[in-house]
């Protein structure tokens, strides 16, 4: 995949990957062996017929490739850009044995990008059954569940607490990985199919689940994601200019703080920024800090680089752009100046041992290895728990010790007719959230057939 020069792209928010041109797409599509028993399909959580869509591309027919993709996926332009294909479809490609997997994600993106204006799935004729379903949360799980239910004939309304739809795709993943116009195009297709999206409505506060049932909704799908940041619980974490990654990314992506004062949300533009964490969120925060103008950005992670949960491509891009990876290192405390602004982090080196019962290497602190890293901004990207407000307000909804809503195999919660999926039940990727949304849609239909009419 052609990419923009790291020295140029690190100072703007434009897309890093340029997308294939036709000749590159054809060359890549023709590498697919069209296996009789394609393992790649089993590696795809939503079961896209990968060889078939690639076959159409190899015949230079992206429109037909898109028809195949859309049977299982309403968001091919998004998934083509940000799915961790290296752990899914591409991992199972027979050519991966020679380290030469077909670039399925890049081909998916090509098909979607080159047919955006001629996508006909939104003009599909659907016979409506008049049964109303409410979806809470407009991230990939809620939108996928809603999209599938729409196509089955249900009347779907999505409630979103923020002023714009898309969940993490809107407020978390930065423009340089997923441009907002791509999200808007795929959202627009669902709206054309008849999806209603009601913004600025926090279910649990603005209205309750009970009220939704009174209003006539026959089933509800909770897809409120995981928006509660985890803090390290070490001294100094309340100092000024220490952000949670969620707040930092929401300010930039959703509230356009990089364009202050044209937009009214400010953000601190650090000179020496430090991000703590090793996941996609940490990479996004570090690369965003760089694009806001930081001269140095360090990324502190307590394990080794190969153990980072972030996608490999994002790690490579971050390093190419100059992010300094400080691995096997843990923060001990944050140090502030007299005005309570962070000025340094005391860190400690870590040692990686044998693999323990958790399946990961045992980590131990190296006593006496403490040292200081100077910084004027810290972003904490240590993971997220589900937002507890809605689950805690719904009487009878069972949640586990991590705050995830508990469901059965069909994603029905402890409350009849109330289903849940995505990060709020314990996912971690867009496609996993979508898989749960799809499965829940089928279960909702079955539930309504037995209980509604
Ligand atoms: C910065 C970042 C980068 C990521 N990068 C990747 C990546 O590259 N690839 C990948 O596969 N995954 C990535 N992920 C993970 C992925 O984005 C999530 O797994 C996925 O978005 C979960 O989808 P969801 O629909 O469950 O929830 P979300 O996307 O979190 O959406 C939930 C929505 O519900 C709304 N909401 C919450 N409570 C209420 C309420 N009470 N009433 C109404 N609305 C409510 C929220 O405002 C939000 O819009 C990333 C995550 C982050 C944070």
């Amino acid at each position: 995949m052609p990419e923009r020069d790291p020295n140029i792209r690190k100072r703007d928010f434009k897309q890093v990957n340029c997308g294939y041109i036709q000749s590159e797409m054809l060359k890549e599509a023709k590498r697919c062996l069209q296996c009789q028993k394609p393992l790649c399909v089993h590696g795809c959580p939503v079961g896209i017929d990968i060889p078939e869509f690639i076959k159409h591309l190899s015949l230079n027919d992206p429109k037909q490739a898109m028809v195949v993709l859309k049977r299982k996926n309403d968001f091919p332009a998004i998934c083509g850009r940000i799915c961790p294909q290296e752990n899914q479809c591409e991992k199972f490609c027979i050519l991966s044995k020679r380290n030469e997997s077909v670039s399925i994600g890049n081909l998916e993106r090509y098909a979607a990008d080159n047919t955006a204006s001629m996508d006909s799935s939104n003009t599909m004729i659907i016979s409506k059954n008049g049964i109303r379903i409410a979806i809470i949360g407009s991230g990939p799980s809620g939108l996928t569940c809603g999209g599938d239910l729409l196509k089955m004939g249900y009347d779907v309304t999505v409630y979103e607490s923020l002023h714009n739809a898309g969940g993490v795709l809107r407020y978390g993943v930065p423009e340089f990985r997923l441009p907002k116009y791509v999200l808007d195009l795929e959202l627009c297709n669902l709206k054309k199919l008849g999806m209603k999206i009601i913004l600025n409505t926090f279910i649990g506060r603005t209205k309750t689940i009970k009220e939704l049932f009174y209003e006539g909704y026959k089933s509800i799908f909770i897809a409120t994601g995981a928006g509660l940041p985890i803090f390290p619980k070490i001294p100094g974490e309340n100092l000024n200019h220490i952000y949670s990654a969620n707040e930092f990314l929401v300010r930039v992506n959703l509230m356009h703080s990089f364009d202050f004062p044209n937009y009214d949300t400010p953000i601190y533009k650090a000179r020496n920024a430090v991000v703590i964490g090793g996941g996609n969120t940490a990479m996004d925060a570090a690369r965003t800090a760089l694009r806001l103008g930081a001269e140095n950005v360090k990324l502190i992670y307590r394990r080794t680089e190969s153990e980072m949960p972030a996608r490999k491509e994002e790690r490579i891009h971050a390093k190419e752009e100059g992010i300094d990876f400080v691995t096997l290192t843990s923060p001990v405390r944050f140090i502030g100046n007299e005005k309570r602004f962070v000025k340094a982090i005391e860190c400690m080196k870590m040692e990686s041992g044998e693999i323990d019962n958790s399946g990961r290497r045992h980590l131990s602190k190296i006593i006496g290895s403490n040292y200081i890293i100077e910084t004027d901004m810290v972003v904490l990207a240590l993971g997220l728990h589900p937002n507890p407000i809605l689950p805690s307000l719904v009487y009878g909804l069972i949640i586990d010790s991590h705050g995830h809503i508990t469901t059965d195999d069909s994603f029905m919660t402890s409350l009849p007719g109330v289903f849940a999926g995505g990060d709020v039940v314990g996912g971690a990727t867009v496609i996993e959230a979508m898989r749960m949304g799809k499965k829940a849609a089928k279960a909702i239909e079955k539930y309504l057939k037995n209980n509604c009419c």
Side-chain angles (χ1 to χ4, degrees):
M1 171 66 82
E3 292 160 1
R4 290 174 60 230
D5 182 335
N7 288 317
I8 298 172
R9 72 185 195 225
K10 71 182 188 186
R11 293 297 179 212
D12 67 42
F13 283 85
K14 291 186 203 143
Q15 245 180 134
V16 168
N17 289 336
C18 307
Y20 285 146
I21 55 170
Q22 192 190 66
S23 56
E24 290 160 342
M25 175 280 286
L26 288 171
K27 195 172 159 202
E28 191 59 24
K30 285 178 181 160
R31 289 181 57 236
C32 175
L33 299 178
Q34 293 292 318
C35 303
Q36 286 299 307
K37 288 186 183 157
L39 300 175
C40 54
V41 178
H42 298 288
C44 171
V46 298
I48 292 172
D49 189 339
I50 293 167
E52 200 191 341
F53 101 76
I54 295 183
K55 187 175 77 197
H56 291 299
L57 281 181
S58 70
L59 299 170
N60 198 18
D61 188 353
K63 195 174 173 192
Q64 206 46 44
M66 189 65 160
V67 170
V68 177
L69 283 163
K70 280 277 183 144
R71 277 186 213 138
K72 293 286 171 76
N73 185 352
D74 281 323
F75 304 114
I78 294 170
C79 291
R81 283 173 169 81
I82 68 168
C83 261
Q85 290 97 3
E86 66 276 17
N87 298 325
Q88 299 171 346
C89 51
E90 292 178 13
K91 182 176 169 183
F92 294 95
C93 171
I94 198 83
L95 296 176
S96 69
K97 294 201 171 95
R98 298 206 307 252
N99 230 357
E100 290 171 3
S101 298
V102 174
S103 296
I104 300 167
N106 292 341
L107 291 172
E108 183 180 24
R109 171 179 165 175
Y110 181 93
D113 286 1
N114 287 278
T115 51
S117 56
M118 41 178 158
D119 181 12
S120 56
S121 58
N122 49 46
T123 51
M124 190 188 276
I125 296 167
I126 301 168
S127 68
K128 294 278 176 196
N129 60 25
I131 300 173
R132 296 171 71 204
I133 295 170
I135 309 279
I136 309 175
S138 68
S141 200
L143 292 175
T144 300
C145 182
D148 280 13
L149 288 163
L150 273 176
K151 290 173 214 156
M152 292 173 196
Y154 293 95
D155 185 332
V156 174
T157 306
V158 178
Y159 288 93
E160 168 55 51
S161 55
L162 296 173
H163 64 267
N164 216 334
V168 171
L169 304 175
R170 171 85 55 193
Y171 73 73
V173 182
E175 184 79 15
F176 55 86
R177 285 212 293 136
L178 176 64
K180 301 294 170 279
Y181 80 85
V182 173
L183 170 61
D184 287 333
L185 268 174
E186 300 207 315
L187 253 176
C188 186
N189 287 336
L190 289 174
K191 288 184 194 160
K192 283 186 197 154
L193 270 182
M195 182 180 279
K196 286 168 245 156
I197 303 184
I198 301 183
L199 303 170
N200 299 310
T201 308
F202 194 102
I203 301 300
R205 292 266 192 245
T206 323
K207 59 170 86 177
T208 63
I209 285 196
K210 216 170 171 183
E211 283 170 320
L212 291 175
F213 277 122
Y214 281 140
E215 284 176 17
Y217 293 104
K218 299 293 180 204
S219 182
I220 292 170
F221 180 61
I222 304 176
T224 46
L228 185 71
I230 295 173
F231 288 89
K233 297 194 176 73
I234 56 174
E237 68 182 23
N238 293 322
L239 289 168
N240 292 314
H241 292 166
I242 298 186
Y243 291 90
S244 72
N246 246 28
E247 180 187 351
F248 184 68
L249 292 171
V250 164
R251 276 175 186 259
V252 179
N253 293 327
L254 186 73
M255 318 293 281
H256 301 266
S257 58
F258 56 86
D259 199 11
F260 181 82
N262 289 330
Y263 285 84
D264 60 7
T265 304
I267 189 106
Y268 178 65
K269 293 183 176 163
R271 204 166 154 200
N272 297 307
V274 171
V275 175
I276 301 176
N280 284 322
T281 311
M283 297 300 147
D284 285 344
R287 296 170 73 197
T288 297
L290 197 64
R291 282 159 173 79
L292 289 174
E295 284 168 22
N296 304 297
V297 182
K298 288 193 186 333
L299 193 129
I300 296 182
Y301 184 56
R302 64 195 181 120
R303 296 180 179 274
T304 59
E305 187 186 326
S306 61
E307 291 169 289
M308 286 180 173
R311 292 184 64 200
K312 191 174 168 196
E313 182 182 61
E314 306 313 327
R315 294 201 318 253
I316 293 171
H317 285 168
K319 288 179 88 172
E320 282 172 355
E321 290 166 9
I323 308 288
D324 180 12
F325 284 22
V326 184
T327 53
L328 287 170
T329 300
S330 227
V332 176
R333 68 180 173 117
F334 300 106
I335 303 164
N337 63 16
E338 64 290 352
K339 291 187 174 159
R340 292 195 46 78
F341 285 90
V342 68
K343 66 169 191 182
I345 311 174
E346 183 180 337
C347 295
M348 192 177 212
K349 294 304 283 178
M350 306 295 287
E351 201 167 34
S352 189
E354 295 299 311
I355 293 176
D356 62 20
N357 294 341
S358 70
R360 303 182 83 185
R361 289 195 180 277
H362 178 77
L363 277 183
S364 43
K365 296 173 180 165
I366 303 181
I367 306 297
S369 65
N370 296 31
Y371 69 108
I372 300 290
I373 293 179
E374 289 186 3
T375 179
D376 54 324
M377 182 183 80
V378 176
V379 182
L380 303 170
L382 299 167
L384 298 159
H385 283 315
N387 186 322
I389 299 178
L390 174 65
S392 66
L393 288 172
V394 184
Y395 182 73
L397 191 68
I398 298 179
I399 51 176
D400 69 16
S401 56
H402 297 289
H404 294 122
I405 297 177
T406 306
T407 69
D408 64 14
D409 288 346
S410 74
F411 295 104
M412 180 136 92
T413 67
S414 48
L415 299 177
V418 179
F419 293 74
D423 283 9
V424 74
V425 309
T429 59
V430 169
I431 196 77
E432 206 24 48
M434 290 169 63
R435 180 190 72 80
M436 295 189 222
K438 289 184 105 52
K439 203 164 169 199
K442 281 194 186 139
I444 289 173
E445 181 174 50
K446 193 169 166 199
Y447 168 84
L448 290 174
K449 283 206 167 119
N450 292 334
N451 295 280
C452 183
C453 316

